[in-house]
Amino acid sequence: MTVKYTPEHEWIQLEDHEYAVVGITLHAQDALGDVVFVDLPEVGRSYVRGEQAGVVESVKAAADVYMPIAGEVSEVNEELRNDPSLANKDPMGNGWFFKILIKDMAEFDALMDEPEYAKFVKANT
């Protein structure tokens, strides 16, 4: 599966050519610490790239979750809403935030791949 990353520390993984899954990166959850609350977007709502789509709160900070590419929210992770610690335990798996119907694949293609993201994190920490 193809995974891309944003400068705001979200990841997005293609499920197929129409849908993708979004969450926060290992780096983001490390920086936040123990996640205690998530505010997830509304299913059916469309967002543009970079728009705030949710919030993640930890014992030491709160951070916005941004839409990595334009899309319509097709599903949210209710398990994450009920157990926000999933964002810490498995941020790249069961701790996903929401799924979207992709509006523009070119926006996905323009995001960072894993080596680019690793270089970005190293340069900015």
Side-chain angles (χ1 to χ4, degrees):
M1 291 286 185
T2 304
V3 179
K4 297 278 193 153
Y5 301 86
T6 71
E8 296 78 31
H9 307 289
E10 288 90 20
W11 58 266
I12 179 168
Q13 178 179 320
L14 288 182
E15 285 199 313
D16 56 35
H17 292 315
E18 292 184 82
Y19 290 91
V21 182
V22 177
I24 62 171
T25 65
L26 288 167
H27 175 78
Q29 71 85 28
D30 280 345
L32 284 167
D34 293 336
V35 175
V36 295
F37 175 78
V38 294
D39 182 22
L40 301 173
E42 181 182 336
V43 172
R45 179 160 174 215
S46 292
Y47 292 85
V48 297
R49 183 183 71 212
E51 187 176 357
Q52 180 188 338
V55 175
V56 58
E57 293 181 11
S58 72
V59 292
K60 60 182 181 179
D64 292 332
V65 177
Y66 298 99
M67 185 63 72
I69 63 174
E72 179 184 317
V73 176
S74 61
E75 184 180 344
V76 296
N77 187 349
E78 292 296 341
E79 284 189 38
L80 180 66
R81 192 188 314 265
N82 296 330
D83 182 6
S85 70
L86 287 172
N88 295 114
K89 294 177 198 165
D90 192 12
M92 301 290 290
N94 291 330
W96 60 276
F97 277 56
F98 52 89
K99 296 182 181 183
I100 62 168
L101 174 62
I102 300 167
K103 294 256 199 272
D104 183 356
M105 272 303 292
E107 288 184 356
F108 178 84
D109 294 337
L111 296 173
M112 292 180 273
D113 62 18
E114 193 166 351
E116 290 171 313
Y117 179 68
K119 192 183 294 183
F120 172 81
V121 169
K122 189 174 181 182
N124 290 286
T125 53

